[in-house]
Amino acid sequence: NAGVTQTPKFQVLKTGQSMTLQCAQDMNHEYMSWYRQDPGMGLRLIHYSVGAGITDQGEVPNGYNVSRSTTEDFPLRLLSAAPSQTSVYFCASSLMASNEKLFFGSGTQLSVL
Amino acid sequence: GESVGLHLPTLSVQEGDNSIINCAYSNSASDYFIWYKQESGKGPQFIIDIRSNMDKRQGQRVTVLLNKTVKHLSLQIAATQPGDSAVYFCAENDSGAGSYQLTFGKGTKLSVIP
């Protein structure tokens, strides 16, 4: 049972480049979400999904897109990377939206130059 | 706006001693609280949670105490071990607001001195 799997673990981008951070879970969880973690800021919610085909914005959605075509996968797309998006990104899931206990992936460290 | 914060950003304890990590919350309507442990280079890992209808909950070597009167949450770790060294986050949610999104505090770094 792998839990929540994120790839890549590290990524360096140039300003303006686009990329997709991958997230997959094998626990049949309905709820999936993306957070960014910055020093002194704690974890901030970017986007979330309560089920396949349904996504919604969190606290800091600008510059990011998501889709949820399957229960297992929830990719996060950076359309045009900016230095302000340098951060550590975590994907998290829970059994259902009403279950607040989140299971986190190991994170993607992204640097935008 | 509402926020979740911590009294102490860093805490150093001797191996074998008990640790107490504190968390203050400002949303009096919050009814769910959770503690996470984050080791260096890893994602947050669930430790223990508690709902507002309880004031204490125990796990293996950990206890969470909730004082709704003063809006304070604490995590107690018994017989602290070097493997407990990590950053600890509290988070809260007001499920009555129709949201199931956790609001996280900024974290406390626990260092265990061998």
Side-chain angles (χ1 to χ4, degrees), chain A residues 8-68:
Chain A
K9 195 163 180 62
F10 301 96
Q11 183 70 51
V12 179
L13 292 177
K14 294 180 179 179
T15 297
Q17 286 185 314
S18 62
M19 79 156 295
T20 300
L21 279 63
Q22 302 292 342
C23 175
Q25 52 88 12
D26 61 359
M27 299 175 283
N28 202 30
H29 282 179
E30 288 186 356
Y31 181 87
M32 296 186 73
S33 54
W34 277 101
Y35 286 84
R36 60 178 289 172
Q37 185 176 39
D38 302 292
M41 300 291 289
L43 288 156
R44 293 184 292 168
L45 182 64
I46 304 172
H47 285 285
Y48 65 96
S49 168
V50 299
I54 306 169
T55 63
D56 208 342
Q57 297 181 346
E59 181 186 354
V60 288
N62 293 341
Y64 308 94
N65 274 0
V66 292
S67 60
R68 185 94 180 272

Side-chain angles (χ1 to χ4, degrees), chain A residues 98 100, chain B residues 27-32 51-52 92-101:
Chain A
S98 58
E100 300 101 325
Chain B
N27 184 357
S28 57
S30 291
D31 58 356
Y32 177 79
R51 295 208 174 269
S52 58
E92 52 95 18
N93 182 49
D94 170 14
S95 60
S99 167
Y100 299 101
Q101 299 175 18

Side-chain angles (χ1 to χ4, degrees), chain B residues 33-92:
Chain B
F33 305 88
I34 188 168
W35 281 98
Y36 282 93
K37 172 186 179 183
Q38 186 176 23
E39 296 175 273
S40 181
K42 297 184 179 179
Q45 179 183 12
F46 169 81
I47 302 173
I48 193 167
D49 57 359
I50 188 169
R51 295 208 174 269
S52 58
N53 60 351
M54 303 174 67
D55 53 19
K56 179 179 180 179
R57 192 173 186 203
Q58 289 183 295
Q60 187 176 9
R61 280 202 309 119
V62 295
T63 301
V64 56
L65 298 177
L66 176 62
N67 185 330
K68 294 181 287 292
T69 302
V70 295
K71 291 182 283 189
H72 184 267
L73 188 71
S74 69
L75 177 71
Q76 300 180 359
I77 304 173
T80 311
Q81 302 169 359
D84 295 326
S85 293
V87 176
Y88 290 80
F89 293 92
C90 65
E92 52 95 18

Side-chain angles (χ1 to χ4, degrees), chain A residues 47-102:
Chain A
H47 285 285
Y48 65 96
S49 168
V50 299
I54 306 169
T55 63
D56 208 342
Q57 297 181 346
E59 181 186 354
V60 288
N62 293 341
Y64 308 94
N65 274 0
V66 292
S67 60
R68 185 94 180 272
S69 56
T70 66
T71 300
E72 295 78 19
D73 300 297
F74 190 45
L76 178 73
R77 280 180 284 275
L78 280 70
L79 306 174
S80 178
S84 61
Q85 293 178 305
T86 294
S87 187
V88 181
Y89 292 84
F90 289 100
C91 180
S93 71
S94 64
L95 188 60
M96 58 187 76
S98 58
N99 185 333
E100 300 101 325
K101 188 165 104 175
L102 290 171

